[in-house]
Amino acid sequence: MIRPSRQKSRHQLHGRVLLICSLLASALLTPPQRALAGFTEKQLAGFEVTELTGTVSEALSKEKVIEIVDPEGHTEIYTVGLDLAPLGLQPGDEVSLSVLDGLLVDLEASQDQELSFSREDIILPTDMGKLKKGTRVALASGTGRVVKLDRQDGSLSLMGPFGGINNLDVLVTPENDPLEDLKVGEFVDFRLVQPVAVDVRKLPTPARGPSVFTPPLAADLLRSGTTLKAELLESFEITHLHATVTRLLPDQQVLEIEGPEGHNILVTSAVDLNTLRLRPGSNISVDLLDGLVVELRPSTIKALSFERQDVEIAGDFGPVPKGTRVAMATGSAEVVRISRSDRTLSLRGPFGKVHNLDVSKRMPGKAFDELALGDFVEFRFIKPVAIRITPLASR
């Protein structure tokens, strides 16, 4: 879904929801023969379910629309495939949701260099898995700019005209791979099914205040001979994105970047930072080996903790040479988002930040499959590693 800027005013938020409500109302007039709007049942069945928590900012029961602020501070608007009225949701309520993630079904290079967006809503004529007959589904099309790309797991992030980011799964078939020749920074014409909430649960409001701490940028390299087996990196996925440098520590090959969604990400670098002449504020193109969870178990301690240690890779792994410094993090955290089909997890740590992580395929499935939102876990994960950094002209 194309999300409005996080800096928008309360008045703008309400106006955006009212606009969507008018679009929803007009969708009821959609003729039955256009009910699929060109989307096949197979395409709609390609959704993945994500579990997440959030704070309600608007809930419109009649129109079946909910607007939430997710754990990372993003404002998201979902159509809902169930009756919201019994929940009696009000702004400020905490909820957990089961969401069928946004699915991209058409994508091609665009001749336009301007961002655009249009929306059409339909009523499903038949059951489609968790999407039941009569569910309202939002369809969107327009022109967006690629800001993040992961070919291995078929995901894409597009910047839309409202200043927000579309995080999408891409429907890849043997006959058609829309991501094959795509590059970060390009403009594309798209058609997509927006995320749909298929379950909404009201939660007790947590007594959680804002964190005043920041994660440590530096850590001593363990000199005890501790190394990380390169085989662990086999589960890493490569993500391409544009980012802005926020902090630098070249001597330790560590930098902090702000990604396209406004997240700050601490990464170690397989590239010699001293050769790049970077400084805070520099715009860069980055290829990242995404953060990877290698140990995960339920925690008996309902508190958040974090410790960082740096180790060296024991052998060459693709573009990452032997001896590369890798940051390891251990501690306890709260589960705030789960996607079981693509084995991704979001953990809220003690600094108030949310870590979006892949779960190693080498980890026993039971540890991951039995997790629930709100669980506290003890973890060990490899922080993201930059394997290519290209300075960009400031925009």
Side-chain angles (χ1 to χ4, degrees), residues 41-48 103 169 171:
E41 293 188 21
K42 180 180 178 181
Q43 288 172 327
L44 289 175
F47 274 112
E48 295 180 348
L103 178 67
D169 294 318
L171 191 68

mmCIF file of all heavy atoms in Angstrom, residues 41-48 103 169 171:
data_model
loop_
_atom_site.group_PDB
_atom_site.id
_atom_site.type_symbol
_atom_site.label_atom_id
_atom_site.label_comp_id
_atom_site.label_asym_id
_atom_site.label_seq_id
_atom_site.Cartn_x
_atom_site.Cartn_y
_atom_site.Cartn_z
ATOM 1 N N GLU A 41 -7.832 -15.795 -10.109
ATOM 2 C CA GLU A 41 -7.871 -16.401 -8.784
ATOM 3 C C GLU A 41 -6.476 -16.872 -8.368
ATOM 4 O O GLU A 41 -6.114 -16.811 -7.195
ATOM 5 C CB GLU A 41 -8.853 -17.566 -8.772
ATOM 6 C CG GLU A 41 -10.302 -17.140 -8.959
ATOM 7 C CD GLU A 41 -11.263 -18.290 -8.742
ATOM 8 O OE1 GLU A 41 -10.864 -19.272 -8.085
ATOM 9 O OE2 GLU A 41 -12.403 -18.197 -9.208
ATOM 10 N N LYS A 42 -5.693 -17.344 -9.321
ATOM 11 C CA LYS A 42 -4.332 -17.797 -9.016
ATOM 12 C C LYS A 42 -3.493 -16.638 -8.502
ATOM 13 O O LYS A 42 -2.705 -16.793 -7.561
ATOM 14 C CB LYS A 42 -3.690 -18.401 -10.267
ATOM 15 C CG LYS A 42 -2.263 -18.908 -10.031
ATOM 16 C CD LYS A 42 -1.677 -19.505 -11.298
ATOM 17 C CE LYS A 42 -0.240 -19.976 -11.072
ATOM 18 N NZ LYS A 42 0.355 -20.541 -12.303
ATOM 19 N N GLN A 43 -3.655 -15.453 -9.119
ATOM 20 C CA GLN A 43 -2.901 -14.299 -8.665
ATOM 21 C C GLN A 43 -3.297 -13.900 -7.249
ATOM 22 O O GLN A 43 -2.452 -13.644 -6.391
ATOM 23 C CB GLN A 43 -3.099 -13.129 -9.628
ATOM 24 C CG GLN A 43 -2.386 -13.328 -10.963
ATOM 25 C CD GLN A 43 -2.742 -12.262 -11.968
ATOM 26 O OE1 GLN A 43 -3.868 -11.751 -11.978
ATOM 27 N NE2 GLN A 43 -1.802 -11.913 -12.831
ATOM 28 N N LEU A 44 -4.595 -13.865 -6.989
ATOM 29 C CA LEU A 44 -5.052 -13.490 -5.663
ATOM 30 C C LEU A 44 -4.660 -14.528 -4.611
ATOM 31 O O LEU A 44 -4.532 -14.218 -3.428
ATOM 32 C CB LEU A 44 -6.567 -13.287 -5.668
ATOM 33 C CG LEU A 44 -7.054 -12.032 -6.405
ATOM 34 C CD1 LEU A 44 -8.573 -12.014 -6.455
ATOM 35 C CD2 LEU A 44 -6.540 -10.769 -5.734
ATOM 36 N N ALA A 45 -4.454 -15.763 -5.037
ATOM 37 C CA ALA A 45 -4.041 -16.822 -4.111
ATOM 38 C C ALA A 45 -2.558 -16.728 -3.761
ATOM 39 O O ALA A 45 -2.067 -17.453 -2.903
ATOM 40 C CB ALA A 45 -4.344 -18.187 -4.707
ATOM 41 N N GLY A 46 -1.831 -15.822 -4.436
ATOM 42 C CA GLY A 46 -0.393 -15.685 -4.189
ATOM 43 C C GLY A 46 -0.044 -14.856 -2.970
ATOM 44 O O GLY A 46 1.125 -14.631 -2.693
ATOM 45 N N PHE A 47 -1.049 -14.388 -2.221
ATOM 46 C CA PHE A 47 -0.802 -13.610 -1.018
ATOM 47 C C PHE A 47 -0.075 -14.417 0.049
ATOM 48 O O PHE A 47 -0.251 -15.628 0.151
ATOM 49 C CB PHE A 47 -2.131 -13.136 -0.414
ATOM 50 C CG PHE A 47 -2.657 -11.850 -0.990
ATOM 51 C CD1 PHE A 47 -3.805 -11.857 -1.752
ATOM 52 C CD2 PHE A 47 -2.024 -10.651 -0.739
ATOM 53 C CE1 PHE A 47 -4.327 -10.674 -2.257
ATOM 54 C CE2 PHE A 47 -2.532 -9.471 -1.236
ATOM 55 C CZ PHE A 47 -3.681 -9.478 -1.993
ATOM 56 N N GLU A 48 0.718 -13.725 0.877
ATOM 57 C CA GLU A 48 1.314 -14.319 2.069
ATOM 58 C C GLU A 48 0.714 -13.630 3.292
ATOM 59 O O GLU A 48 0.377 -12.449 3.247
ATOM 60 C CB GLU A 48 2.834 -14.133 2.063
ATOM 61 C CG GLU A 48 3.516 -14.872 0.920
ATOM 62 C CD GLU A 48 5.021 -14.681 0.916
ATOM 63 O OE1 GLU A 48 5.495 -13.804 1.655
ATOM 64 O OE2 GLU A 48 5.705 -15.406 0.185
ATOM 65 N N LEU A 103 0.304 -7.624 -3.107
ATOM 66 C CA LEU A 103 0.800 -8.520 -4.157
ATOM 67 C C LEU A 103 0.863 -7.785 -5.484
ATOM 68 O O LEU A 103 -0.136 -7.266 -5.973
ATOM 69 C CB LEU A 103 -0.121 -9.734 -4.275
ATOM 70 C CG LEU A 103 0.224 -10.759 -5.350
ATOM 71 C CD1 LEU A 103 1.542 -11.456 -5.019
ATOM 72 C CD2 LEU A 103 -0.882 -11.788 -5.488
ATOM 73 N N ASP A 169 5.078 -8.124 -2.397
ATOM 74 C CA ASP A 169 5.530 -9.389 -2.958
ATOM 75 C C ASP A 169 5.261 -9.359 -4.459
ATOM 76 O O ASP A 169 4.278 -8.776 -4.910
ATOM 77 C CB ASP A 169 4.771 -10.563 -2.329
ATOM 78 C CG ASP A 169 5.088 -10.720 -0.855
ATOM 79 O OD1 ASP A 169 6.265 -10.597 -0.498
ATOM 80 O OD2 ASP A 169 4.151 -10.942 -0.064
ATOM 81 N N LEU A 171 4.653 -11.469 -8.019
ATOM 82 C CA LEU A 171 4.242 -12.757 -8.574
ATOM 83 C C LEU A 171 5.202 -13.129 -9.701
ATOM 84 O O LEU A 171 5.197 -12.527 -10.774
ATOM 85 C CB LEU A 171 2.812 -12.666 -9.105
ATOM 86 C CG LEU A 171 2.164 -13.991 -9.478
ATOM 87 C CD1 LEU A 171 1.920 -14.836 -8.232
ATOM 88 C CD2 LEU A 171 0.850 -13.761 -10.208
#
